[in-house]
Each structure stands twice: as C-alpha cells, then as structure tokens.
Amino acid sequence: MPGVPLCDGASGRRSEETTDARDPTRSGEPLSGRAGDERSTPPPERQGTASVRPRSAAIDTVRVLGLAAVVTGHAFAEPAVRATLYPWHVPVFFFLTGYLWTAGRGLGDEVRKRARTLLAPYLAWLLLAGLFTTALRAEAGRQPSPAVFGEMLLGGTYVESPLYTFWFATALIFAALLCRALERLPGWVPWAVASAGLAAVYAAPRIVADVPLSLGVAVPSLVFLLFGTVAKRLRPRIGRPLIVGLALLAAGGILVATGASRPVDLKQGDFGTILLSPVVAAVLSFGLVLVAEVVVPALGARFGRAMVLLASGGLLVMFVHPVVLWALRNDSANGSWVIYLTALLVPWAIAVGLRHTPLSPWLLGVPRARPAPAPARAA
C-alpha cells in the first residue's frame, strides 16, 4: 500500500508465533471495553523483568486454537478435517505476527528477538527430538543414516517424520526478518515482494518448498503478515467486532465449504486457490481475532490467564506433538482419540512445567515465570 508504513503496529511474542502480545490497535494500551474489545490480560506470574509487556488473552486464545487445530490435522487424515482446518490453522500464526507488529525496530534487534524467541527453541528441540527418535529407531534395530543429520541441518521439507513441524520456525523467522528489512521502503515494495513469492510458488511449488529451511516458503507467506498489518490498521474502525468477526468467519467458511477456496499446505508450497486462498486465510484469521476479543473477556480472568499460560508454551507443542504421535504409532487414516489427546495434552503439560524453570527461555522462547510477590502487610 503506497504511502503506508509497512507492518506498523503493536508488538507481541509468539508461540507459532511467538511474540509478547500488546493491544492490537494502541501501542500497549488496553482496548476500549465499550466497543466490546479485549483488554490486555497480564500473565499469571511475573516474568522477572519490569519491561515485559502484558499479553492479550484474546490473541493467545487464537494461538491456542490454532495449535489445537494443527495437532488435530496431524492426528486425523479425514477429508473433513483437512477441509475445515487447513485453510487457516498455519496462516493464522503469520497473520498474528503482522497484527502484533512493532514498527521502527532495527533489523539487528529483530534478529536478536527472533533468535531468542524462535531460533533457540528450534535448535534445542531439534537436538532433543532428533536424539530421542534416533534412540527409538536404534532400539528397533534401525541404524540411522549419516544423511539424516545433514537433512536436519537443511530443515524444511528435508527433515523426515516425526520432525516435520520444525519448518514452521525457520519460515516464520525469515518472513519476519524480510518484513523488517522491507519496512522502511515504499509501502508497495513488500506487497510486490510477497506477490512475486506467490507467483513463484504457484508456478513451481516443489522448487519453492524445497529451498532449505523453508526460506522459499517464507517469501509468499509474507502476504499473511501484510494482511495482519492491514487488519491492525482497520481494527479501530470496527465498532461491533463480534458481528464483524462472525460475518468474516461466515464469508470465509462459505468460500471454503463450496470449494471455491482450497485448503493450503504452506510447507509443501501449496497455497491453495490462486490469490483467493491467502485472502480467505486472512479473513478467517481476522474473524477469529475479532470474535476472541469479545468472547474471551466474557469468560473471565481465570480463563484468560489459562490461555496466556498455554500459549506461552505453544512452540513446544508445535515441535513435540508429532514425536508423540509417531512414538505411539498413530495411524492418521484411522486416528485414535486416545493418542490424539495424549499428543495434545502431554506436550502442553510439559510446557507448563518448564515455564517455571530456568529452561523456559531455551525450550519455550519466553522468560521464566516467577510467582508474584506476596502483598505487603499493613502496618
């Protein structure tokens, strides 16, 4: 968009995304409750630093929903599951990165931020999960090929099961760095880069998908970040977020249900129906955010704190749930609900436990949670 600063907005920290969530329309200030918007919800424990910003319970609820959808899509290979979840469940994390973007940060600062919140957990879990799966294969009499370790370094589509979700972190890192690098250029430039990436992936999906570390996929995925920044700018003008959010979900759902908009599989370079599927993914993502901003506060502070806590461990869930499915020999064609719930709940339980340990920054990408100090007694 010419003349409009790229990716301006409020910041956050991911989970599959991965950023400290602030208010999506006013840098760190809570949204107006009169419009039905969500107020920033502080984390359940102090983070150990005075500079940590409060996270949005609504945004974190969307993250949790997206993570649950990713696990569901891997546990069950039914066509209905793919048709319902694949149009949005991975694009939503790129969309949220744009929706919660902080304008003006230097590229070096962006590199350090993404290294801390995404790259460190990526490397840690790649090592741990790789050693675990190698040990299980060795126990079963399958000696690992030296080529496996080279494939792990290449990442992306080169990593074999059960490490098939690790591509997400490197793609998101590069998309964010690309967004930051283009931020100070005229507003049409990032859209042109994203459009060129989309043209390339539609013309040669396999070639784009096979770029090491999924860096090729990151370029067309930039479009979801840009859609997120547009949604963030539009947000203050939406006076009835619940109605608008439901309308967006309905419109996107109709396009998906009728087959006009095909599901996407970003890792494989499948961006669905040309141009329409990325737009529908953004529409559905924005609809989820708007609905969450109204519904989550109504569910109470305890629910909001739970969503914040779960979302803070989301990266572990993204990396580890395929390992659980693989270790339990899940047959996605005839998915087991017991195995599915195990793959969903066990990684999250581990993440909640790690959140309170010194390993949290390395394995979750977020600071260690510290108990809030006891209130001072009156003299």
Side-chain angles (χ1 to χ4, degrees):
M1 289 187 174
V4 179
L6 168 67
C7 298
D8 60 344
S11 74
R13 168 175 298 188
R14 158 117 154 93
S15 103
E16 261 257 156
E17 224 275 24
T18 50
T19 53
D20 292 337
R22 292 196 304 178
D23 172 280
T25 60
R26 288 181 296 176
S27 303
E29 297 177 3
L31 291 170
S32 169
R34 290 174 303 205
D37 297 334
E38 203 259 335
R39 293 182 179 270
S40 295
T41 302
E45 295 89 7
R46 297 179 62 194
Q47 305 301 309
T49 66
S51 63
V52 173
R53 303 181 182 107
R55 296 177 62 123
S56 163
I59 298 299
D60 278 342
T61 299
V62 175
R63 289 191 178 107
V64 170
L65 182 63
L67 286 163
V70 169
V71 179
T72 304
H74 290 153
F76 301 99
E78 298 175 7
V81 172
R82 176 179 174 82
T84 303
L85 302 181
Y86 275 68
W88 63 272
H89 72 341
V90 173
V92 69
F93 294 106
F94 291 85
F95 176 90
L96 290 177
T97 299
Y99 194 70
L100 302 173
W101 192 261
T102 301
R105 181 184 292 134
L107 182 59
D109 290 337
E110 191 69 35
V111 170
R112 286 186 287 272
K113 174 183 174 63
R114 301 299 167 178
R116 184 178 68 252
T117 61
L118 284 169
L119 184 59
Y122 168 84
L123 293 175
W125 284 110
L126 187 64
L127 175 62
L128 293 174
L131 291 174
F132 177 75
T133 55
T134 299
L136 287 186
R137 288 191 174 104
E139 185 178 352
R142 295 177 54 194
Q143 294 302 319
S145 166
V148 171
F149 301 102
E151 292 167 356
M152 290 174 62
L153 293 176
L154 291 174
T157 57
Y158 296 92
V159 181
E160 65 177 13
S161 179
L163 309 181
Y164 50 77
T165 57
F166 281 77
W167 74 273
F168 168 80
T170 51
L172 185 58
I173 290 170
F174 186 70
L177 295 180
L178 181 60
C179 188
R180 185 64 68 193
L182 299 174
E183 183 176 40
R184 289 180 171 81
L185 299 179
W188 60 268
V189 174
W191 289 96
V193 172
S195 298
L198 285 172
V201 80
Y202 282 124
R206 192 69 266 159
I207 294 176
V208 173
D210 285 344
V211 175
L213 300 174
S214 289
L215 301 187
V217 168
V219 180
S221 296
L222 174 64
V223 73
F224 301 118
L225 275 77
L226 298 177
F227 280 137
T229 66
V230 172
K232 183 258 179 178
R233 289 195 294 269
L234 293 175
R235 179 62 187 89
R237 306 177 188 178
I238 299 175
R240 297 185 177 181
L242 181 60
I243 294 175
V244 175
L246 290 174
L248 291 176
L249 292 176
I254 289 172
L255 291 171
V256 170
T258 58
S261 177
R262 295 191 294 106
V264 301
D265 188 345
L266 304 189
K267 178 184 178 181
Q268 303 302 329
D270 183 359
F271 278 65
T273 306
I274 295 178
L275 298 182
L276 183 58
S277 289
V279 172
V280 168
V283 166
L284 293 172
S285 298
F286 195 20
L288 288 171
V289 169
L290 293 175
V291 171
E293 287 178 354
V294 178
V295 173
V296 171
L299 296 176
R302 181 175 297 179
F303 178 84
R305 288 193 296 269
M307 292 299 101
V308 169
L309 180 60
L310 291 177
S312 67
L315 202 55
L316 185 154
V317 177
M318 181 70 79
F319 292 152
V320 174
H321 80 268
V323 179
V324 178
L325 292 173
W326 173 81
L328 298 180
R329 300 183 180 180
N330 181 69
D331 177 10
S332 59
N334 302 286
S336 162
W337 279 92
V338 173
I339 295 178
Y340 162 66
L341 290 175
T342 302
L344 182 66
L345 299 179
V346 168
W348 244 318
I350 295 172
V352 169
L354 288 172
R355 188 73 175 82
H356 300 268
T357 73
L359 295 175
S360 181
W362 298 100
L363 299 181
L364 303 181
V366 295
R368 178 183 182 181
R370 300 183 183 277
R377 295 183 179 180

